[in-house]
Amino acid sequence: MSTQPFIGAQEYFPGIGAIPYEGTGSDNPLAFKVYDAQKRVGGRTMREHLRFAVCYWHTFCNAGHDPFGPGTRRFPWEKGEPMATAEARVDAAFEFFTKLGVPYYCFHDIDLAPDADDVGQYEKNLRHMAAMAGERQRATGMKLLWGTANLFSHPRYMNGAATNPDFAVVSRAAVQVKAALEATVELGGEHYVFWGGREGYACLHNTDMKRELEHFARFLAAARDYGRSIGFEGKFFIEPKPMEPMKHQYDFDSATVAGFLHAHGLQDDFMLNIEANHATLSGHTFEHDLQVASDHGLLGSIDANRGNAQNGWDTDQFPTELYDTVGAMLVVLRQGGLVGGLNFDAKPRRESTDMEDLFIAHIGGMDAFARGLEVAHALLTASPWEQWRRDRYASFDTGDGKAFAEGRLGLADLAALATKNGEPAQASGKQERYENLLNQYLLR
Ligand code: XLS
Ligand code: CA
Ligand code: CA
């Protein structure tokens, strides 16, 4: 691995070196307070548990535009011409990854390379930029967590991509998925994501939902088959989101996607990538959607961000809420880790315009998850938390309760037992006891 502080001809983040771990006593905004890559928690290092990834789209392409105004951040890699910008951006990105000290990154086809309506030009652009990214991966040791195709920005996808009512658009979407899969394989990408941004509807009057969902499953199966044929061995992840940009999106939440995957026989190749802010948009907590995915054996990866408690939209803020990160890591640790990782699908606020804010935002997210990891690990291994949960269900461990759980008692048997046993004794749920225990460990 190179020791040079930057990759190309220019340093894009001058004055910022490798981000050190300095501990909670440090006031240095450009240092980790909790995330200490080599620190062991249980049997693994923090780096191995958390498998952090930086996303290409928000961090290097999103200058902070919103529906009311353009971007505010002046990226020094903007060269005024799309390919020159893409080439400068890849150097800036790898400089950023290296200085931050994350193992992974993620991209969409058209954040890495300029888009083009002409299929040949689009493919040429992506191949060129994937080759550049590959060189920089080899120079730095960085790895690709997942690749994906943007099937939602171009106007041709206004009525959906794989679920578009027009077959011409469905087949055009295949151009991008095929090329993005090829780029992912070329770059050794561990997984591949489908976020169905416009796979849904704006109006049910004009929509044959059943037909669209059948097409969606056909398209995903075709992508899987193509991926396997070119040597892709990772998981395909579906990323649920209930709405925005569409009124209704088919990958609504974990439960919906789990049902869809099973209904179409896709559950062996596909898992879920759960984004915190998407879970909250669907009316759940982040932890809820993680737990549902995990209970189905489908929790593969996480898009680490947070929403805003007062706003009902997808604000994609950096994760700093410790209750959220503890809750997430409880689910992750209980299932033995992630085949994917924690990708920061998050953007600094529009008002955060200094280049160092990109680092500060990621440092905060990494520290919040590192603390979540430590607290969740302690709760699971050194506190009575798991025993309390087990004790709550102890009546199913022996005797008649066990016979019921194993399917050996019918409804009449159950009713006869209740008649014999009389009114059940009251059993407190003890919610506050768990909440207090969590706080006690957070404060340690
Ligand atoms: C948008 C999604 C998107 C996916 C990848 O809301 O989060 O960024 O993660 O297409
Ligand atoms: Ca996401
Ligand atoms: Ca989001």
Side-chain angles (χ1 to χ4, degrees), residues 59-78:
T59 306
F60 309 110
C61 304
N62 184 320
H65 66 274
D66 70 13
F68 304 93
T72 51
R73 280 184 278 284
R74 296 199 185 87
F75 289 139
W77 48 89
E78 290 290 347

Side-chain angles (χ1 to χ4, degrees), residues 34-360:
V34 189
Y35 180 69
D36 180 1
Q38 298 312 322
K39 180 176 176 183
R40 294 192 89 76
V41 177
R44 295 179 191 163
T45 63
M46 283 190 166
R47 182 180 168 93
E48 290 164 344
H49 273 291
L50 296 166
R51 299 167 60 81
F52 285 126
V54 169
C55 87
Y56 218 83
W57 51 103
H58 286 318
T59 306
F60 309 110
C61 304
N62 184 320
H65 66 274
D66 70 13
F68 304 93
T72 51
R73 280 184 278 284
R74 296 199 185 87
F75 289 139
W77 48 89
E78 290 290 347
K79 302 288 179 197
E81 190 275 313
M83 187 53 90
T85 297
E87 290 176 349
R89 182 187 285 133
V90 77
D91 285 336
F94 277 79
E95 180 188 330
F96 183 86
F97 304 147
T98 312
K99 288 180 169 177
L100 187 62
V102 287
Y104 291 108
Y105 72 110
C106 300
F107 66 78
H108 296 86
D109 52 349
I110 59 170
D111 351 298
L112 185 65
D115 198 4
D117 285 353
D118 178 76
V119 171
Q121 187 63 52
Y122 159 82
E123 291 172 338
K124 190 173 165 214
N125 290 352
L126 185 56
R127 276 199 297 268
H128 172 70
M129 289 310 305
M132 286 189 75
E135 280 171 22
R136 281 145 188 77
Q137 283 185 215
R138 286 185 287 280
T140 59
M142 277 295 298
K143 291 189 281 187
L144 177 64
L145 185 64
W146 49 260
T148 189
N150 178 327
L151 304 178
F152 43 90
S153 293
H154 194 286
R156 79 170 73 87
Y157 299 122
M158 66 181 180
N159 292 305
T163 63
N164 198 291
D166 180 357
F167 175 66
V169 180
V170 176
S171 59
R172 183 60 177 78
V175 167
Q176 283 184 250
V177 173
K178 177 173 171 288
L181 269 167
E182 288 165 358
T184 301
V185 170
E186 178 185 338
L187 295 171
E190 296 190 8
H191 306 286
Y192 185 87
V193 161
F194 288 92
W195 171 61
R198 294 191 198 269
E199 312 293 19
Y201 61 79
C203 170
L204 203 45
H205 294 332
N206 66 6
T207 301
D208 184 336
M209 192 157 38
K210 184 166 190 294
R211 220 168 162 185
E212 293 195 1
L213 279 165
E214 280 161 5
H215 296 166
F216 194 26
R218 279 306 315 141
F219 190 93
L220 293 175
R224 175 209 46 209
D225 295 344
Y226 184 73
R228 297 303 181 220
S229 79
I230 60 168
F232 177 68
E233 292 177 355
K235 287 286 181 183
F236 296 88
F237 296 141
I238 305 263
E239 182 180 321
K241 188 176 183 184
M243 66 192 87
E244 199 194 353
M246 304 306 272
K247 171 198 154 45
H248 175 90
Q249 281 160 215
Y250 294 140
D251 298 327
F252 196 90
D253 61 2
S254 287
T256 310
V257 177
F260 171 83
L261 292 177
H262 281 279
H264 296 281
L266 295 167
Q267 70 279 0
D268 294 337
D269 297 282
F270 286 76
M271 295 180 86
L272 273 64
N273 179 42
I274 302 300
E275 179 176 317
N277 202 170
H278 296 180
T280 52
L281 270 181
S282 61
H284 306 308
T285 60
F286 179 30
E287 186 180 353
H288 168 97
D289 243 27
L290 292 170
Q291 190 66 60
V292 172
S294 182
D295 288 345
H296 281 93
L298 293 172
L299 175 58
S301 206
I302 290 177
D303 270 8
N305 64 12
R306 78 178 203 273
N308 176 292
Q310 285 74 44
N311 291 343
W313 70 82
D314 191 16
T315 57
D316 288 334
Q317 288 167 247
F318 272 84
T320 53
E321 298 280 359
L322 296 178
Y323 289 134
D324 284 348
T325 63
V326 173
M329 293 314 296
L330 282 171
V331 180
V332 169
L333 290 178
R334 276 202 201 100
Q335 72 160 33
L338 295 170
V339 296
L342 290 168
N343 169 47
F344 289 110
D345 191 350
K347 53 195 178 216
R349 299 303 81 195
R350 187 169 187 262
E351 304 77 20
S352 301
T353 50
D354 294 340
M355 287 304 103
E356 72 162 18
D357 294 331
L358 296 176
F359 281 92
I360 291 171

Side-chain angles (χ1 to χ4, degrees), residues 333-401:
L333 290 178
R334 276 202 201 100
Q335 72 160 33
L338 295 170
V339 296
L342 290 168
N343 169 47
F344 289 110
D345 191 350
K347 53 195 178 216
R349 299 303 81 195
R350 187 169 187 262
E351 304 77 20
S352 301
T353 50
D354 294 340
M355 287 304 103
E356 72 162 18
D357 294 331
L358 296 176
F359 281 92
I360 291 171
H362 283 85
I363 290 167
M366 291 166 77
D367 275 342
F369 267 95
R371 186 69 188 131
L373 166 66
E374 288 181 333
V375 172
H377 174 76
L379 284 172
L380 292 175
T381 59
S383 90
W385 185 286
E386 290 295 86
Q387 191 59 46
W388 288 348
R389 274 174 28 122
R390 278 193 295 275
D391 289 350
R392 201 163 175 235
Y393 297 90
S395 62
F396 295 94
D397 291 342
T398 55
D400 294 330

